[in-house]
Amino acid sequence: MMKNILVVVFLLITGAFFKVFGQEAQIFSVEDFDLRGNVKSCLVITKYGKEEYEFDAKSRLIKSVTRYSDTDYDITRYKFEKDELTEKRTENYRDGKFDPSISFGNFYTVEKSEPRVVIEKVFSYEKEFLDSYQYTYNEAGKLKAILHSGADGENETVIEHSEKGNISEQTYSLNGVIKKSVKITIDKIENTKTEFTVQYLDGIKTSAVKKVFNKYEQLISESQMSFDTNTKKFIATEKKKYSYVQSGVKNKLITTIGNSESTHQYIYQFDNEETGNWVKEIIAPDNLYTTRKIEYFPEVKPDKKE
């Protein structure tokens, strides 16, 4: 779980999220951080550092802080108008001082609502224009193109969508060269969803990831694969299988690499809230642990009728 959070935070802070093929700026919510209920804030503490998250009354992430030390940390703030993200500001502090040279702001404007077109402009805190992105959607509301303009000129990512029966697929091409494909298969008999993502280099397949989710949208297996140019097939290099307890938290992970297999057990302590968020995670046998301090919005009780 912590690895997933760190990936999200990395994307939030570096801005790399916007350079990945085919994604508009995402509005993160409580659920994206493995939280439930009316959470106001969450402090995550590991041996690697601390992560702080703040949410609004609509469960949207409005602030995140990554602390590497007492003097080195990054702050990201989000601003909304109605249901639209309008600003994302990232401020970086080093040796206890704000560093404008590596801090920037992202500003979003809805140019057209039907079909949807969104413009993103990125500026440094030194008021230097860095990049702009134009996100264009089709009539079904799916992202179909991203036009990136920056110092290196213009680059266009085109996303093609296809759907047949229980299978849907998206193909991402950068300046006419395929970069990634994602195939999603729904098995109504097994109640599973399989997501197969293939990465390309110069139009040639290089690697893939296969993920299988259960009916609760929980990841139950994941396979990392490399492409064998001789057999023209993908070969699994690492396999992971997850199991969960009734409360929905993960309790076991089995990892297979070649002929080697390892098992990790997950043990949780929960808070006293009805939502049942965990406040301590212990991973055995490594004895790694993560603690969380969670604050909730006060419960709003309905007025009593006289």
Side-chain angles (χ1 to χ4, degrees):
M1 190 284 305
M2 190 59 200
K3 181 180 178 182
N4 292 337
I5 288 182
L6 290 176
V7 169
V8 170
V9 172
F10 174 79
L11 295 175
L12 295 176
I13 292 170
T14 63
F17 182 85
F18 306 104
K19 299 183 186 296
V20 176
F21 318 113
Q23 283 289 348
E24 185 193 349
Q26 183 177 348
I27 297 177
F28 292 96
S29 66
V30 164
E31 290 78 10
D32 292 310
F33 299 89
D34 195 20
L35 292 163
R36 306 173 183 175
N38 203 18
V39 176
K40 182 178 181 181
S41 65
C42 178
L43 171 63
V44 183
I45 305 171
T46 73
K47 69 176 184 179
Y48 307 106
K50 298 179 180 179
E51 304 288 348
E52 302 171 29
Y53 308 107
E54 293 183 13
F55 304 91
D56 63 13
K58 294 184 177 181
S59 297
R60 300 176 301 193
L61 180 69
I62 57 173
K63 180 182 178 181
S64 66
V65 183
T66 300
R67 295 190 181 275
Y68 313 103
S69 67
D70 292 338
T71 58
D72 294 344
Y73 53 94
D74 303 318
I75 302 175
T76 303
R77 294 183 174 88
Y78 301 84
K79 182 179 178 181
F80 302 89
E81 288 185 9
K82 297 182 179 179
D83 294 327
E84 296 285 356
L85 175 65
T86 57
E87 293 182 19
K88 182 176 83 81
R89 294 178 179 267
T90 303
E91 301 172 354
N92 297 286
Y93 293 80
R94 299 296 180 264
D95 297 324
K97 296 180 180 179
F98 173 66
D99 189 343
S101 66
I102 55 173
S103 301
F104 52 90
N106 303 65
F107 303 89
Y108 307 91
T109 304
V110 178
E111 290 285 303
K112 189 178 179 182
S113 56
E114 293 184 7
R116 183 177 172 85
V117 177
V118 177
I119 303 294
E120 173 192 2
K121 293 185 179 181
V122 187
F123 293 88
S124 72
Y125 268 67
E126 295 177 329
K127 298 182 179 180
E128 177 187 2
F129 171 76
L130 300 177
D131 295 281
S132 72
Y133 299 84
Q134 176 178 291
Y135 304 93
T136 305
Y137 296 78
N138 61 22
E139 293 181 353
K142 296 180 179 179
L143 185 63
K144 69 174 187 179
I146 301 174
L147 180 62
H148 168 230
S149 301
D152 57 347
E154 289 190 349
N155 295 283
E156 185 176 32
T157 298
V158 175
I159 304 97
E160 296 181 359
H161 300 268
S162 64
E163 191 168 339
K164 185 177 181 180
N166 62 333
I167 299 175
S168 62
E169 189 167 4
Q170 301 85 45
T171 303
Y172 299 74
S173 299
L174 178 63
N175 297 331
V177 180
I178 186 171
K179 291 292 183 180
K180 182 176 75 170
S181 66
V182 182
K183 180 185 288 185
I184 297 175
T185 304
I186 305 297
D187 189 326
K188 295 182 179 180
I189 297 176
E190 297 293 333
N191 282 325
T192 59
K193 179 179 75 172
T194 301
E195 183 180 289
F196 191 74
T197 302
V198 179
Q199 301 289 348
Y200 296 77
L201 179 63
D202 297 328
I204 300 173
K205 296 176 180 178
T206 58
S207 62
V209 179
K210 180 182 179 181
K211 295 181 179 181
V212 181
F213 301 84
N214 62 19
K215 62 181 180 180
Y216 303 109
E217 292 292 330
Q218 296 168 326
L219 179 64
I220 56 176
S221 70
E222 179 177 1
S223 298
Q224 301 287 337
M225 304 178 181
S226 61
F227 188 70
D228 189 322
T229 55
N230 293 321
T231 63
K232 304 299 181 181
K233 295 181 179 180
F234 283 104
I235 300 174
T237 56
E238 180 181 270
K239 296 181 180 180
K240 293 183 178 182
K241 291 185 177 180
Y242 303 86
S243 60
Y244 301 83
V245 295
Q246 189 173 2
S247 60
V249 296
K250 181 169 53 189
N251 72 330
K252 184 186 291 186
L253 165 62
I254 300 175
T255 303
T256 304
I257 302 176
N259 296 323
S260 176
E261 183 177 283
S262 62
T263 300
H264 289 86
Q265 298 285 345
Y266 292 77
I267 304 167
Y268 293 92
Q269 295 177 4
F270 295 85
D271 59 19
N272 294 323
E273 298 292 331
E274 291 183 1
T275 50
N277 282 306
W278 63 264
V279 292
K280 188 170 186 178
E281 177 190 65
I282 303 171
I283 305 176
D286 300 331
N287 200 31
L288 297 174
Y289 68 90
T290 299
T291 59
R292 304 197 300 187
K293 295 181 179 179
I294 301 170
E295 181 183 357
Y296 295 87
F297 283 102
E299 183 181 356
V300 179
K301 296 183 179 180
D303 296 333
K304 293 182 179 180
K305 294 183 179 179
E306 296 182 359

